Amino acid sequence: MPAIADRWGEASGPGAPRAKSGRAGMLMPGALAAECGQLWRLRALLAVLTRRELAARFAGSAGGILWVWLPPLLTVASYYLVFDLVFGMRLGAGAPTARVGTYLIVGMLAWMGFADAVQRGMSSLLDAGSLLHKNPLPPGLFPARAVLASSVVFAPLVLLLVPLYARAHGFGAGVLAVPVLVLLQAALSFLMAYLLAILAAALRDVVQLVGVVLSLGVFLSPVLFPITLFPAGWRWLLWLNPMTAPILGYQSALLQGVWPGWDVWLAIALWLALLALLLSLALARSRDQLVDWL
């Protein structure tokens, strides 16, 4: 790690050449494009940091890495046991599936992965403050590490639903959208987490505020109920939640085997573009002050 950090320090010094503008610069705002380029060059260090992040979550426990997957697995298993087997609850017409537990598992797994990545990523810069004071590392390493670690935990669980759910609709072609949605959710989580990490460095109240918003946000998404049950006049509120479109996409692909509609992809693209723009502005404005805030 020190050797990589030294190379980064040399590349980012006062005499370092400016990053060449290319295709990445055209696709993303400049500051964010440069940050992503730095993360790609330091991908070996990012992999090491991600492994250490995961190891820290179960350090000292006898169960080891099993404790990473056990809590979400027990949560979704309880939904199936309580709602589908014990109470036999069913959804009404217009829902993507009749079984309540089966429906809840899809949305809750996606939401838990998003909330975990955003919360850990938002606090990552505050936790790494002392390290950033001593080493000239790119700050984006730490939100990226948190999001990647969360993705390692939750992405396999979402992908595991494909063979479990696909039998119900004869392995419809829509299940091919699930890996794409997983990648897009990871990108969405990274942009959101990094933006909030910068805001939290400037104002610590952001951490508490976002914690409350994430607790309430699950109710303003189609996680607990089909979108058709929400009053039509207020349905636009659900689209203010960045996870509404990915969750609808997962439900369409996993529960019905249908490729998600164009509105899902459009909403995800708009959220990615908006967050990329806001993050690029935050990076440009905080570059000279971020370490001091920490």
Side-chain angles (χ1 to χ4, degrees):
M1 184 185 300
I4 298 176
D6 291 341
R7 288 200 298 271
W8 160 251
E10 293 172 4
S12 61
R18 291 178 178 270
K20 294 181 180 179
S21 60
R23 187 171 181 82
M26 292 187 289
L27 293 175
M28 288 183 292
L32 180 56
E35 190 79 8
C36 290
Q38 294 161 5
L39 292 178
W40 175 251
R41 288 192 294 273
L42 295 177
R43 58 189 180 276
L45 176 58
L46 179 57
V48 171
L49 292 175
T50 302
R51 287 196 295 270
R52 291 184 178 180
E53 168 80 7
L54 285 169
R57 298 190 186 187
F58 56 83
S61 63
I65 198 170
L66 288 177
W67 287 111
V68 173
W69 286 289
L70 195 57
L73 279 174
L74 290 176
T75 299
V76 297
S78 66
Y79 290 151
Y80 178 74
L81 175 65
V82 172
F83 294 107
D84 286 358
L85 296 183
V86 177
F87 292 108
M89 298 179 68
R90 296 294 182 263
L91 294 169
T97 183
R99 297 187 174 188
V100 173
T102 302
Y103 175 87
L104 288 175
I105 288 171
V106 174
M108 283 304 300
L109 265 183
W111 181 263
M112 286 190 295
F114 173 75
D116 185 76
V118 169
Q119 284 188 309
R120 293 179 185 274
M122 176 180 58
S123 303
S124 62
L125 291 182
L126 296 176
D127 296 337
S130 59
L131 181 60
L132 287 171
H133 276 284
K134 299 174 183 177
N135 297 279
L137 293 169
L141 276 173
F142 300 96
R145 173 191 65 178
V147 172
L148 281 176
S150 293
S151 298
V152 169
V153 175
F154 288 95
L157 299 180
V158 174
L159 294 174
L160 182 61
L161 295 181
V162 172
L164 296 177
Y165 278 52
R167 290 176 296 177
H169 48 71
F171 288 84
V175 297
L176 298 176
V178 174
V180 181
L181 290 168
V182 168
L183 292 175
L184 291 175
Q185 179 179 333
L188 192 71
S189 300
F190 170 69
L191 294 174
M192 178 73 76
Y194 197 0
L195 176 62
L196 291 173
I198 294 173
L199 296 178
L203 186 65
R204 302 299 193 270
D205 304 72
V206 171
V207 176
Q208 284 72 31
L209 178 61
V210 172
V212 174
V213 171
L214 287 174
S215 299
L216 299 177
V218 69
F219 298 101
L220 285 176
S221 69
V223 171
L224 303 178
F225 50 83
I227 196 170
T228 53
L229 294 183
F230 206 77
W234 293 94
R235 209 165 287 172
W236 60 271
L237 282 173
L238 300 182
W239 292 99
L240 297 179
N241 188 330
M243 277 302 291
T244 289
I247 289 169
L248 288 175
Y250 287 127
Q251 291 171 349
S252 177
L254 289 169
L255 298 176
Q256 299 174 302
V258 176
W259 190 265
W262 65 267
D263 54 337
V264 168
W265 303 112
L266 177 60
I268 293 175
L270 290 175
W271 269 109
L272 288 172
L274 176 61
L275 290 172
L277 177 60
L278 293 176
L279 177 55
S280 190
L281 291 173
L283 286 169
R285 291 179 177 272
S286 65
R287 190 172 301 279
D288 298 328
Q289 302 169 291
L290 183 58
V291 175
D292 293 333
W293 291 343
L294 300 172

